[in-house]
Amino acid sequence: MSITLDLSGKTALVTGCKRGIGKAMAEALAEAGADILGVSASLGKNSEVEKAVKTIGRKFYGYQCDFGNREALYSFIEKLKTDHPIIDILVNNAGTIKRNPAAVHSDAYWDEVIAVNQTAPFILTREIGKEMIKRGNGKIIFTASLLSFQGGINVPGYAASKAAIASLVKAFANEWASKGVNVNGIAPGYIETDNTEALRADEQRSKSILERIPAGRWGTPDDMKGPIVFLSSNASDYIHGTIITVDGGWMGR
């Protein structure tokens, strides 16, 4: 078999694609040759990610969906199946975070985070994955987190959801590896995105975080480009149930 990172002729669905890590992943997959189906809660026409993908020379189809609303999620899935019956690559990147100490972390915060970060990607994977199984091939990549392995501070709902994602990666892979579908994950470290703005603004927390990163810097969304293309390509055909940490060496420390 010839090993290639070329994704020409493939169609990739990237959730949470409007900015940050999701936008970088969509761009990377387009650079590798894939057409992009992008979805975010507030994705409008002529978005920055759409412009970037089209500038690369690939097709972009944009959708809006509130993943915290299950009815909206199922409506989105039905429309997606009608518009694009074949999805070769699914990137479960959409997520949210709510910060509050555990003692005052409200039910509303918990429910929203679990719905968006855990329930929605499970449903998407099940519904799109069953079509991949019928065809005998497909690539599914979840965005996990360092908090898939650690507890974090003041983000109990987020930590719980990302720990669940790590287990879902393994659970799906155990069932689908023999059916030609690869399910893996990427765990970003501390990356310069909206989700980490509060941490980076806290001088003391930011300093303590940087001191623990062997690479000596915060990551950027572009650091996810190589791993997402690799896990979407045939170069990763024998990789199942694995989470790649892209963290500047944090977990090694």
Side-chain angles (χ1 to χ4, degrees), residues 40-100:
S40 287
S42 59
L43 188 68
K45 292 182 179 180
N46 297 315
S47 63
E48 290 303 311
V49 64
E50 178 176 355
K51 292 175 185 176
V53 169
K54 287 183 175 178
T55 296
I56 292 165
R58 307 311 310 167
K59 295 177 182 177
F60 181 90
Y61 304 89
Y63 296 86
Q64 281 189 4
C65 183
D66 175 5
F67 282 4
N69 181 323
R70 193 168 305 186
E71 183 178 345
L73 174 61
Y74 276 109
S75 294
F76 165 65
I77 291 170
E78 287 307 307
K79 180 168 178 53
L80 200 61
K81 287 183 176 181
T82 299
D83 293 350
H84 305 281
I86 297 177
I87 295 173
D88 304 288
I89 302 159
L90 168 61
V91 181
N92 285 308
N93 173 73
T96 189
I97 190 167
K98 296 291 184 182
R99 299 183 185 276
N100 237 351

Side-chain angles (χ1 to χ4, degrees), residues 49-223:
V49 64
E50 178 176 355
K51 292 175 185 176
V53 169
K54 287 183 175 178
T55 296
I56 292 165
R58 307 311 310 167
K59 295 177 182 177
F60 181 90
Y61 304 89
Y63 296 86
Q64 281 189 4
C65 183
D66 175 5
F67 282 4
N69 181 323
R70 193 168 305 186
E71 183 178 345
L73 174 61
Y74 276 109
S75 294
F76 165 65
I77 291 170
E78 287 307 307
K79 180 168 178 53
L80 200 61
K81 287 183 176 181
T82 299
D83 293 350
H84 305 281
I86 297 177
I87 295 173
D88 304 288
I89 302 159
L90 168 61
V91 181
N92 285 308
N93 173 73
T96 189
I97 190 167
K98 296 291 184 182
R99 299 183 185 276
N100 237 351
V104 292
H105 204 81
S106 68
D107 288 357
Y109 271 19
W110 175 272
D111 290 345
E112 180 181 349
V113 171
I114 296 299
V116 174
N117 292 9
Q118 180 177 331
T119 304
F122 167 76
I123 292 172
L124 264 177
T125 300
R126 183 189 66 204
E127 296 303 308
I128 293 173
K130 66 176 65 173
E131 302 303 321
M132 292 178 172
I133 289 171
K134 290 177 185 176
R135 298 193 306 272
N137 63 78
K139 301 282 187 173
I140 300 173
I141 303 98
F142 287 79
T143 297
S145 168
L146 292 183
L147 298 197
S148 295
F149 316 106
Q150 302 173 335
I153 299 171
N154 297 332
V155 287
Y158 184 82
S161 71
K162 290 302 184 178
I165 289 301
S167 289
L168 278 177
V169 166
K170 298 178 182 70
F172 278 118
N174 287 344
E175 295 188 34
W176 294 356
S178 64
K179 303 180 189 303
V181 179
N182 296 74
V183 184
N184 293 291
I186 294 172
Y190 286 90
I191 310 298
E192 293 176 348
T193 66
D194 293 350
N195 278 356
T196 60
E197 188 174 356
L199 290 179
R200 288 181 284 117
D202 184 328
E203 190 173 324
Q204 185 174 351
R205 284 292 306 281
S206 182
K207 181 175 182 292
S208 68
I209 288 168
L210 280 172
E211 287 174 345
R212 186 173 164 174
I213 300 174
R217 66 171 176 87
W218 285 74
T220 70
D222 280 357
D223 289 317

Side-chain angles (χ1 to χ4, degrees), residues 5-8 23-36 52-53 55-58 222 225-226 228-229:
L5 298 177
D6 183 13
L7 300 178
S8 297
K23 179 174 178 286
M25 287 177 167
E27 290 173 358
L29 294 172
E31 288 164 353
D35 291 327
I36 306 299
V53 169
T55 296
I56 292 165
R58 307 311 310 167
D222 280 357
K225 286 187 169 184
I228 194 65
V229 171

